[in-house]
Structure formats: C-alpha cells, structure tokens
Amino acid sequence: MMNVVFNMPVRMLRVGEDLNPSHDEGARLQEWNLGRAIIHILRQPDHDRHLFTIEFEYDRIDHLAAQRLAEGSLFKRWLASHGERL
C-alpha cells in the first residue's frame, strides 16, 4: 500500500455509486480527507461498513483496509491531534 497521509484528499464511494452517480450526492460532494473518511466508515453500523470505499487518485481501499489503518498508532495520533474520537 502507498505511504498514507491522513490529511490527503480522497473521494468516498458507496457500492453501486459508479452505476448511479446521483446516489448519496451529499456525501459525494463533501470534501473528504483520508482520516475523516476512515472515521465515517467506522461510525457506520457493522452491517453497512462494506458499502463504502475510499478512492485515492490511483488506488482504492475498502472498509477492511480502513479498519486496519485505524488500528495503527499513526492514525491514533492523527485522531488525537484533531480532537476526534471513535
């Protein structure tokens, strides 16, 4: 996986959004960074997390990769520095 910077801009996608781009338009138009996207996914009910994908310029990560990133100390430090909690 690429070098992760939690303030880097990303796009949040929901399953099926490529087929129906007007779906969840509010989330699609919101400006996301990697850290906020991970927080958003982890705050979803367990049965809905698989519906989200984080898209970078040349790569995508799914909810499982987002969970693994959230378990790391770099993310926990980023979270604390932004006054966020899970």
Side-chain angles (χ1 to χ4, degrees):
M1 185 185 279
M2 60 194 222
N3 187 12
V4 175
V5 179
F6 295 106
N7 287 324
M8 69 188 312
V10 298
R11 254 183 84 204
M12 280 286 283
L13 299 174
R14 286 181 60 101
V15 171
E17 184 176 7
D18 292 335
L19 302 174
N20 183 6
S22 65
H23 182 69
D24 202 12
E25 190 170 329
R28 197 167 42 83
L29 295 177
Q30 183 176 349
E31 287 189 28
W32 294 94
N33 67 35
L34 178 59
R36 299 247 182 251
I38 291 172
I39 291 168
H40 180 77
I41 289 174
L42 296 180
R43 287 184 176 165
Q44 301 304 309
D46 290 341
H47 62 275
D48 285 343
R49 289 181 183 172
H50 72 281
L51 297 174
F52 295 92
T53 300
I54 300 171
E55 184 179 76
F56 301 91
E57 188 173 353
Y58 299 109
D59 201 6
R60 285 185 179 185
I61 62 171
D62 63 6
H63 69 290
L64 296 174
Q67 281 182 260
R68 285 191 299 274
L69 286 171
E71 293 168 359
S73 60
L74 288 176
F75 180 76
K76 290 176 182 174
R77 278 187 275 176
W78 179 88
L79 200 63
S81 73
H82 285 78
E84 293 282 349
R85 302 175 104 188
L86 289 179

